Amino acid sequence: MCGICCSVSFSVEHFSKDLEEDLLCNLKRRGPNSSKQLLKSDVHYQCLFSGHVLWLRGVLTPQPVEDERGNVFLWNGEVFSGVKVEAQENDTQIVSEYLSSCKDESDILSLFSEVQGPWSFVYYQASSHYLWFGRDFFGRRSLLWHFNDLGKSFCLSSVGTQTSVWQEVPASGIFRIDLKSAALSRHVILKLYPWKYNSRENTAEECVNSLSQISADLPAFVSVVANEAKMYLEKPVVPLNVILPQAPLETHYSNVSSIPPTRETLQGFLTDGHMKGVIQQFIDVLSVAVKRRVLCLPRDENLARSEVLKACDRKANVAVLFSGGIDSMVIATLADRHIPPDEPIDLLNVAFMTEEKTKPTCSNKKWTKQKNHCEIPSEEFSKSVAAAANSDKQFSVPDRITGRAGLKELQAVNPSRTWNFVEINVSLEELQKLRRSRICHLIQPLDTVLDDSIGCAVWFASRGIGWLVTQDGLMSYQSRAKVVLTGIGADEQLAGYSRHRVRFQTHGLEGLNKDIVMELGRISSRNLGRDDRVIGDHGREARFPFLDENVVSFLNSLPVWEKADLTLPRGIGEKLILRLAATELGLLASALLPKRAMQFGSRIAKMEKNNEKASDKCGRLQVNS
């Protein structure tokens, strides 16, 4: 993962050889292992490229990458499939080499149609004065744009600042700007190469709608147009199966309204041979997706023999955003299959203070600082100890309770694994302070109460500073994992939200199918850019197994009733296929947990104003530095 930025100026007086200090600082937090800048000057324009690398695979490759013809490449992504990248190779270098060999725009589109994995990029073609940029089909990597009001400059960046207005680059396809033409005409034309299903005929209508939506929020000197050749990127997943049953669906039970949410009920579904086969296919494809995401990173086995760490000092390379709910439980269980057995896995569990502080009594507690792990400033340590001592009462939120129960279930599945259950406790004071200084600009340009709640909760969780309960006592701990796995994408595809049940009750399976199409279509703008910025701020990379292209294609290929059955009660009907997979994996307790949104499970939604709606504009995010 990287922080990438390209600043373009069409006038000498507006050109700066350095990025703004706060933007540079924000980018460096995303890429702590290497920083580099490159200036490309032309008679008509100047481009400043800035790359900040989080090293995860192959040889550390500083960015920006410049080839022998003066082309410049910035890459914030991972190639998990589609384009061959060997274990010892760096994907930035490989993709850059492919781009250098591209003869025309068709070759560029073919390349990005083949890459499977999350990405955003900026690519400058020196000879043609073209600047290409874009995000992957799901928008799993952030890319923002900011256009100067006078039309004399613009900037593309992984992350923005609090002092300027930034917008997310839509994950509608790849954009191309002719910089020389823009400089001469003082008008920036964004040519769009959209995503398209190869077999569909309604691309023109889709593209027109997309262009009007994109143009609506841009200044007058910026236009969005379709490319003249009507070329496109091929969508990396198969279309959603919207087939409807010809007859009423058969069920194992005569009265579905009285079906109890029990493990016996779930196991009853698995007596059906077809369903059992579907579940095994789902487990297999999701397991491969998790494997790709936990093995593409450097590990301690690369150390010389003399440097091999003792088991107690082994660091976790992978963390899971962990509530104990079914999404995170299945991800953790599958990660356990592929991560080396002597390597710990960090389970990051966040809770927000639910009641007034009371004076803690610490006389019966053992307190230790963990060597090499604790980065809590010493002057704050006594406060942290006091808060942790009283944490059972103050932070006993739903996600903490299910998280501890989930930990026990994981320990039963694999007792030999070191599972680091990291209890991350956040007070109102700390939330308000760090929202103002560190989190606001990461959530923006999103600005609702829901974005505030989820963005802040994910930021504190992925920071990974908390407490471990060990045999020696309560231990302060900071995760050093560079990769954070999240379960996002499961609810969107498997009818996990309460709104899906309402939709089904009013519009049936047809309406539910339309909702699932809509959910995946908007996940880039509603969730993924924000979550990438928030998690990346800690020098960690977010990875999304449920949004692996092969996982999405498999789920899209199934009729909706094999994924969810909303005639069944909560705790069974929603995400039915995932509950059955959890049952097969031995997760019998968590398989029955009903969906609980992160903002309620962590109790952040109850911290400040209780009368807000999730869709309201959040004034707390409108804080300028």
Side-chain angles (χ1 to χ4, degrees), residues 282-353:
F282 178 44
I283 291 173
D284 290 344
V285 71
L286 185 58
S287 180
V288 171
V290 172
K291 180 180 180 180
R292 287 173 176 158
R293 284 157 177 78
V294 302
L295 294 185
C296 290
L297 62 166
R299 284 194 151 78
D300 290 334
E301 60 259 29
N302 297 329
L303 299 173
R305 286 183 179 274
S306 60
E307 296 176 293
V308 173
L309 301 174
K310 298 177 183 177
C312 61
D313 290 328
R314 287 293 296 266
K315 75 165 186 174
N317 290 294
V318 175
V320 182
L321 292 186
F322 189 76
S323 65
I326 186 171
D327 307 346
S328 59
M329 285 293 292
V330 169
I331 292 300
T333 303
L334 294 177
D336 175 57
R337 285 186 173 186
H338 306 295
I339 293 173
D342 58 345
E343 181 179 304
I345 296 176
D346 285 348
L347 307 174
L348 307 179
N349 182 273
V350 67
F352 291 81
M353 188 178 291

Side-chain angles (χ1 to χ4, degrees), residues 31-243:
N33 299 126
S34 169
S35 291
K36 178 182 168 185
Q37 292 196 160
L38 176 65
L39 177 63
K40 300 292 287 188
S41 291
D42 181 81
V43 174
H44 305 287
Y45 59 84
Q46 295 81 32
C47 297
L48 178 62
F49 300 91
S50 186
H52 309 269
V53 178
L54 174 70
W55 175 54
L56 288 169
R57 63 197 296 186
V59 177
L60 175 61
T61 304
Q63 295 193 45
V65 177
E66 183 177 17
D67 68 15
E68 58 188 13
R69 289 181 290 176
N71 302 324
V72 180
F73 182 50
L74 288 167
W75 172 251
N76 175 27
E78 297 289 346
V79 179
F80 290 131
S81 186
V83 172
K84 191 171 185 179
V85 180
E86 300 291 351
Q88 72 279 8
E89 293 179 324
N90 181 272
D91 61 337
T92 304
Q93 192 61 49
I94 296 298
V95 178
S96 178
E97 290 171 1
Y98 272 107
L99 279 172
S100 294
S101 67
C102 289
K103 298 180 176 61
D104 52 32
E105 58 189 357
S106 176
D107 290 342
I108 292 176
L109 298 179
S110 294
L111 172 62
F112 286 105
S113 294
E114 291 171 8
V115 172
Q116 293 194 7
W119 50 262
S120 63
F121 80 97
V122 178
Y123 181 56
Y124 170 69
Q125 285 184 301
S127 60
S128 59
H129 307 281
Y130 289 162
L131 190 71
W132 298 80
F133 60 95
R135 300 164 68 194
D136 73 81
F137 178 65
F138 295 116
R140 289 165 289 186
R141 290 290 172 260
S142 170
L143 191 63
L144 307 175
W145 56 28
H146 165 68
F147 292 93
N148 177 276
D149 291 337
L150 301 175
K152 296 183 178 181
S153 65
F154 71 89
C155 188
L156 301 165
S157 179
S158 297
V159 63
T161 61
Q162 290 188 19
T163 55
S164 301
V165 178
W166 296 81
Q167 297 169 311
E168 286 190 315
V169 174
S172 306
I174 287 177
F175 296 89
R176 193 193 79 189
I177 299 174
D178 185 328
L179 295 177
K180 183 176 179 180
S181 174
L184 293 172
S185 66
R186 296 293 178 181
H187 192 92
V188 176
I189 297 177
L190 301 170
K191 289 195 176 178
L192 175 63
Y193 297 80
W195 295 102
K196 176 197 165 194
Y197 286 121
N198 214 358
S199 59
R200 293 179 63 179
E201 302 298 328
N202 59 347
T203 310
E205 182 181 353
E206 287 180 356
C207 189
V208 168
N209 291 338
S210 181
L211 294 177
S212 61
Q213 291 166 5
I214 297 168
S215 301
D217 296 324
L218 294 173
F221 66 89
V222 182
S223 299
V224 186
V225 301
N227 69 90
E228 303 92 334
K230 297 183 179 179
M231 302 179 76
Y232 60 88
L233 297 146
E234 188 171 346
K235 289 189 178 182
V237 296
V238 303
L240 185 74
N241 181 347
V242 294
I243 190 173

Side-chain angles (χ1 to χ4, degrees), residues 1-39:
M1 186 204 75
C2 306
I4 61 175
C5 180
C6 173
S7 178
V8 179
S9 176
F10 299 120
S11 67
V12 175
E13 64 268 24
H14 276 77
F15 176 65
S16 173
K17 292 184 178 180
D18 297 296
L19 296 178
E20 295 178 17
E21 186 176 346
D22 54 346
L23 178 57
L24 190 61
C25 182
N26 294 339
L27 289 163
K28 284 182 175 180
R29 280 202 286 267
R30 292 179 60 88
N33 299 126
S34 169
S35 291
K36 178 182 168 185
Q37 292 196 160
L38 176 65
L39 177 63

